[in-house]
Amino acid sequence: MTWTSTSMADPEELKSTSWEKDLTDALEAGGCDLETVRNIIQGRTLSSELRTKVWKIALNVAGKGDSLASWDGSLDLPEQALIHKDSQKLVDQLSVSQEEKSVLSLDVESVITFFCKSRNITYNQGLRWTDLLKPFLVLRLQRSDLYNCFYAVMNKYIPRDCLPRGRPFHLFRLLLQYHEPELCSFLDTKKITPDTYALNWLGSLFSGYCSVDVTQALWDVYLQQADAFFMFFLMLIILVNAKDTILGQEMENKEDIIRFLESSPCNLDIEDIEDLFTLSVYYHNKTPASFRKDNQCLFGSSLLGLKDDDMDLSQALCLPVSVSEILQANQQQGDGVRFFVVDCRPAEQYNAGHLSTAFHLDSDLMLQNPSEFALAVKSLLEAQKQSIESGSIASGEHLCFMGSGREEEDMYMNMVLAHFLQKNKEYVSIAKGGYMALQQHLVDMNIDGLENGYSEWIVSTSGPRNSISSVDGDLTNGSADGKGVKSLVNKMTFALKSKSVNVKEKVISFIENTSAPVDRHVSSSDKLGKPYRGVKPVFSIGDEEEYETDEIDSSSMSDDDRKEIVNIQTWVNKPDTKYHFPCNEVKETGHMFPSHLLVTATHMYCLREIPSRNGLAYIQSRQALNSVVKITSKKKHPELITFKFGSSGSSGVEILAVERYLIPNAGDATKAIKQQIMKVLDALDS
């Protein structure tokens, strides 16, 4: 039997009619809030009439007065001609009569002009305001409502510093690195920063790339989320969706990749919106809450604007996580973010006191004994896996590295971090402020009960209090309720700590047999105590207790795009090349780059290998040998050599550049370079 189209009502149509009627009734009743609206709509597409009312509620402008009432309507800004032109260009895209176009064009021009005047902003096309206005313009809003909606979106959803190299894009890169390290690394290699492709994504909330229908469907859900940070996750999904194309086709041209990425949102259809938000929610739930909480300054009231002391995200090695979140995360039940904390401080600091759930990985091992370090990393990953399987309180798929919180000490932890990032390990973060911040946070939480507070979180393996009593990892303050941690992590940490101490003893025995550091001044006779040319000591070779991290790092000043590319072997074989030392250039962040130090009669060159071009390198630096002020090594790491370059005068020595290298057989290298410097100075004396 065949049913005619009028025989029975479609259940879906009845359901659709039902929720729309419920929404209409709620809106007409008045006093409807966003939570009520959200519960009724449940992510469904809205009609134009309902959309207007829902968006006003979502933007909190329903019933708001006319902000333009006090304005005299003068269109007299210096950039008024540009505003007028852009307003007409926007309205020309709409299918309306010429008479209506004139009205709408004046509405748009008035809104932009008044906003510029009230906020003291100079208009330019790069602001993408007309793109933001387009979805509202289609709704045929009154001019006062158009302004109120535009103002609300600008204030709540467009971040501060939404400019090239702005803070939002450094933050987005950290989010991309956290979830998709391989893609992030690829784009970094190509020197493609998020602002090059996502500046207008964020500035227009995708309206500059999607059709009006798609934009409105996307905004229906986005505005109901009432979460400005959610745009970062929508942007992330766009990149995740483009990942296979970018990596698979191995696009070589930087501009082609940028164009491909920037235009990716153009491919979105209304049918894609549900999946886009579902995936965004998944990634959102896999992201530390610190991503949002520590960056609230990007949105909202100007009273909470960016401050000079806000962390420079462009220098962040990976996503920072607050110690308060680390402590809270592993106490929670459910599928939220849980951290496997890796304490990278030296063994003696770890033994003196550490987070009870932390795994110890001595970062010094990376330079002291690479094979032991590799074993420790393998054990770390195995411990993480087994702790997750056992449901330990210390378990978590998110790796969070903790240092001391002192910049000079944490350089080696940064090297370890860089090692994991270069292996494209996902979910890698760093404890903001390190162990010092952890201690301070516990003090702040337990002013009246310090002892009780510490006993839950901090344990020691060297003192009588809260010490590990056996290799099994039982804590003396252990309890049946799980606050005293007894887990696989403690067992493996203790075993690895014992190994690292053995390695450390070998290194210490080597250091103790070396002579004390002596400043040496280079002259033709290399005499001690005689300053070169009557000024303070200019050149010295000795040990270095700590890096002077505030000095200049010359190798960071140049752009690879402008560096000369050379054939490594050709340069090694050049007649004037006297010495060649394969090495790794070490940055302050801990990143290491395979490089080659070449010494000629008068200069020292650093050639940095280009990973994608075998046998070729950039000329990373070129330093005159007579500008070497000091060559130093760390006592713990004699193969890590620091070269300081500068000039001397009556006021003393001025350091102009600092370069650091990890050089196998560093003693031979520094001896050869010193001899060549002496020859240069001899020639100058004669």
Side-chain angles (χ1 to χ4, degrees), residues 274-293:
E274 182 179 355
D275 289 342
L276 177 65
F277 276 86
T278 299
L279 288 169
S280 297
V281 169
Y282 172 82
Y283 279 84
H284 172 274
N285 293 339
K286 291 281 188 179
T287 302
S290 297
F291 172 80
R292 173 199 315 273
K293 290 182 179 178

Side-chain angles (χ1 to χ4, degrees), residues 529-592:
K530 182 180 179 181
Y532 175 61
R533 293 184 180 173
V535 298
K536 290 178 68 177
V538 177
F539 172 78
S540 67
I541 297 179
D543 291 325
E544 178 184 27
E545 282 301 322
E546 301 293 349
Y547 284 124
E548 297 172 39
T549 54
D550 58 340
E551 293 180 352
I552 299 170
D553 183 349
S554 64
S555 60
S556 65
M557 296 179 179
S558 54
D559 187 339
D560 283 350
D561 292 337
R562 298 192 293 269
K563 292 174 190 168
E564 182 182 353
I565 297 177
V566 298
N567 183 288
I568 298 172
Q569 202 55 47
T570 299
W571 271 60
V572 170
N573 294 334
K574 287 174 68 171
D576 59 340
T577 299
K578 296 184 175 296
Y579 301 102
H580 167 223
F581 304 105
C583 62
N584 279 282
E585 181 191 5
V586 181
K587 307 297 289 184
E588 279 290 349
T589 60
H591 279 298
M592 294 191 288

Side-chain angles (χ1 to χ4, degrees), residues 446-512:
N446 298 280
I447 295 175
D448 297 325
L450 187 61
E451 289 299 316
N452 292 333
Y454 267 97
S455 65
E456 280 189 32
W457 299 107
I458 302 298
V459 295
S460 168
T461 55
S462 57
R465 181 174 151 269
N466 294 339
S467 60
I468 295 179
S469 58
S470 70
V471 178
D472 286 339
D474 292 331
L475 303 184
T476 56
N477 67 325
S479 61
D481 62 3
K483 289 184 177 179
V485 180
K486 177 182 180 182
S487 70
L488 176 70
V489 174
N490 277 331
K491 299 178 186 178
M492 301 197 73
T493 295
F494 190 86
L496 282 171
K497 174 175 56 40
S498 302
K499 286 190 176 182
S500 67
V501 170
N502 292 335
V503 174
K504 211 173 194 63
E505 288 173 354
K506 296 177 184 177
V507 177
I508 290 173
S509 66
F510 167 77
I511 293 173
E512 289 175 345

Side-chain angles (χ1 to χ4, degrees), residues 616-634:
L616 299 182
Y618 294 117
I619 299 181
Q620 183 70 11
S621 73
R622 175 182 182 272
Q623 303 286 2
L625 291 175
N626 62 1
S627 70
V628 176
V629 172
K630 196 171 188 179
I631 304 176
T632 55
S633 65
K634 295 285 285 184

Side-chain angles (χ1 to χ4, degrees), residues 187-345:
L187 295 175
D188 287 348
T189 301
K190 296 290 184 182
K191 292 196 173 297
I192 298 175
T193 54
D195 56 303
T196 60
Y197 57 84
L199 178 63
N200 293 327
W201 292 2
L202 198 53
S204 72
L205 305 182
F206 288 129
S207 62
Y209 298 90
C210 301
S211 68
V212 174
D213 289 344
V214 172
T215 299
Q216 289 184 325
L218 190 151
W219 284 18
D220 282 344
V221 187
Y222 179 54
L223 295 181
Q224 289 176 55
Q225 291 278 340
D227 177 8
F229 283 93
F230 203 78
M231 182 54 62
F232 287 105
F233 295 94
L234 296 174
M235 291 162 55
L236 178 62
I237 299 307
I238 298 294
L239 255 68
V240 171
N241 192 54
K243 175 181 175 180
D244 291 342
T245 302
I246 296 173
L247 299 181
Q249 294 184 3
E250 297 183 355
M251 296 181 182
E252 287 296 328
N253 188 286
K254 174 180 177 180
E255 297 305 319
D256 287 344
I257 298 174
I258 292 175
R259 279 193 293 270
F260 172 76
L261 285 174
E262 186 176 13
S263 63
S264 293
C266 298
N267 300 319
L268 285 173
D269 293 322
I270 291 179
E271 292 75 19
D272 298 324
I273 300 303
E274 182 179 355
D275 289 342
L276 177 65
F277 276 86
T278 299
L279 288 169
S280 297
V281 169
Y282 172 82
Y283 279 84
H284 172 274
N285 293 339
K286 291 281 188 179
T287 302
S290 297
F291 172 80
R292 173 199 315 273
K293 290 182 179 178
D294 292 348
N295 293 283
Q296 292 291 336
C297 57
L298 286 177
F299 299 97
S301 170
S302 58
L303 296 175
L304 301 174
L306 298 176
K307 302 185 290 294
D308 291 338
D309 58 352
D310 282 331
M311 181 178 182
D312 184 359
L313 296 180
S314 67
Q315 301 301 312
L317 191 57
C318 62
L319 188 68
V321 175
S322 68
V323 292
S324 60
E325 180 176 4
I326 294 170
L327 294 180
Q328 294 167 11
N330 287 31
Q331 302 300 309
Q332 299 172 353
Q333 302 297 319
D335 299 327
V337 173
R338 294 173 63 87
F339 298 101
F340 186 83
V341 181
V342 183
D343 192 323
C344 291
R345 295 174 300 147

Side-chain angles (χ1 to χ4, degrees), residues 51-99:
R51 177 174 288 128
T52 300
K53 295 178 180 179
V54 169
W55 283 14
K56 285 183 182 180
I57 291 173
L59 293 170
N60 197 30
V61 298
K64 187 175 181 181
D66 185 358
S67 301
L68 300 170
S70 61
W71 178 47
D72 62 7
S74 298
L75 304 175
D76 53 3
L77 290 174
E79 60 275 15
Q80 200 67 49
L82 178 60
I83 297 174
H84 179 75
K85 178 183 175 182
D86 286 351
S87 299
Q88 284 191 321
K89 184 178 178 181
L90 169 61
V91 173
D92 286 342
Q93 299 174 33
L94 305 179
S95 300
V96 296
S97 67
Q98 193 61 43
E99 182 180 352

